[in-house]
Amino acid sequence: MEDLLVRIICRLVVPFVQLYGLYVITHGHLSPGGGFAGGAIVGASMILFALAFNLEAGSRKLSHDISLLMESGGAIGFILAGFVAMLLGQNFLTNKAAGFPLGVPGNLFSSGAIFFFSVAIGFKVGSTMCTLFYNLIEGSDRHRSSE
Amino acid sequence: MNLNYEHLPVIIVALLLLAAFLEPIVYRHKKSWAAPLVIASMAFFALSSLYLMAAVNYHGPFNYYLGGWAPPFGIELEIDYLAVFLLLTFSVIGLIAIVYGLQDLKHGLKDEVLGWYFTLYLLLMASMAGISVTNDLFNMYVFVEISAISACAIISIKESRECIEASLKYLILSTLGSGCILLATAMLYMITGHLNIGYLNDVLPRVMSHYPNNILISLGFFVVGYGVKAALFPLHVWLPDAHTAAPSPSSAVLSGLVIKVYAAAFLKVFLKAYPREIFLEIPVMEIVLFLSVLAILYGSIVAMVQEDIKKMLAYSSIAQIGYVFLGFSLMGQRAVAGGLLHIFNHAMMKSMLFLAAGIIIYSTGIRRIRDMKGLGVKLPLTMGAFTIGALSMVGIPGTNGFISKWQLALGALDLGRPIIVVVILLSSLLNCLYYMPIVINAFFGVKGEPELEIGKVPGVMLYSILFLGFGIIFFGIYPAPLLAFLQKTVTAIL
């Protein structure tokens, strides 16, 4: 289905949705939301793009390789950030006691390691949403062509 | 930098998860490194479990606070005798199964899903390690969900019709089970405000008389939830299809380890979180005992009429998980030790039998028991190992199956329940009825059909089942150190 209105509106909306998603991810410790909610918003923006244009255009913006890398990278980043605390002599996932600077409360960088955890979760959730969506679409395509 | 052994349990879980997420990238860009990565992580898991067992045996159990937050606020890992026992069982059997699986999976799986299989396998192992060490009910629920989803994906990985059907059945039932576990956890949290097992045990005696309904509901939901997942008798319907449809190494792990981990979680929740007085007033353990007796008899009887060898082994698992629950629900020192010992022993026997069946299917393509006449001449070592496993299943002295059945029988006699001994004896005879014909046919059967085509059996596959067969004999003749360790485990729990 080709619809000029949908495409133009989508082009206008997608950057704002993504910016809002990134805002929710990075302000997870200050405002409602966090890694999961923000990642879901970013992922939804990519799904919106692929719905309004088509699958090829969508996967040109975010290829399988990149989304695979982001998906695994998010989870790996989370675990590695947990290990940093262990290398600093504290228990797994320790935040302040391991020496992460907390900063001034209310500022963007005021949560020590939680900031990294939120970003890692955001990457993971956003790319997983895309991958799930692409897999559903491509799966039905593949089965149709094989019949 | 101060890395002592107390970090090891969390390193195990985190490193297995790390390897699991690394696997898709590695498989995409450097395919030849994928298999060594799995083996290396599983070998690390096995070695560090061995080290932890030695450390706990020497220094005693210890606790670990994630993020440095002590309970009741933070998540606590409790590495006691039970946890290291489970870790060692899972890691060693898991390592052997994947070493075997590298050969078998190339044969049975499509190339592009092999990387995903490794990911799922490592996720499954990480979740089982997590369930073993955690001391927090909600954390346990999260790991239960991870293991359920990865097990489900492992079953469906072949994408054939029966695999999809089996995994869908498993998905629906195990999601129901997860829901029950979550609801039961919520019921306990509602009246105590704690999720930590130690704190629950402290607070529950004070509040349980005020909230009898919450206690009843939570007990019921926990029994149903863990019962579905561990395939306790009336809730077992997903198991035969699921364990038959999966590739052989996965069947070995699913049947040998995954249903056990839920039985162990059941033990943790019921004997460590709930105070003992509850079971005097609410006969939940009597119900579980009754169900496990039914499971033992039903599993053995239905296994007798199966034609497919993997299906027969799957039904036999239903009977064997009954033994584990039998030991736990008797709640005596020796009975619980027998149940725990049966977790270890059955993990060895059943995974070896599944792997041996996998070799038979790999090299001849035969799945029907009737066609296995004269196979002992063609595959002497495989059928020899199968015979050891079958003897151990029946409980012939000299194999480890005998030791755990003996312990269970003694445990039942300690509590003055001779009828349980009759059930164990009857079930051993039933086991004999369906395992022995295979062995006798294989070695002494006269084949009427044309010569079988026997493919070459890879050495790795053969060595892994011979290693497990050696373990069965070893622990059948020399179980003393294991029994002494389990004695300590049970004294700490009860």
Side-chain angles (χ1 to χ4, degrees), chain A residues 31-44:
Chain A
S31 55
F36 190 90
I41 295 170
V42 174

Side-chain angles (χ1 to χ4, degrees), chain A residues 64-65 68-69 72 75-76 79 83 86-87 90-94 124, chain B residues 1 7 10-11 14 17-18 21-22 25 28 64-68 116:
Chain A
H64 265 297
D65 269 347
L68 182 76
L69 208 64
S72 297
I76 291 169
I79 296 169
F83 273 132
M86 203 182 276
L87 289 177
Q90 294 293 323
N91 282 358
F92 190 67
L93 291 177
T94 305
K124 169 86 186 151
Chain B
M1 205 172 103
H7 289 298
V10 78
I11 292 180
L17 287 174
L18 189 75
F21 289 118
L22 217 52
I25 301 179
R28 188 120 180 163
Y64 187 90
Y65 305 142
L66 276 179
W116 292 114

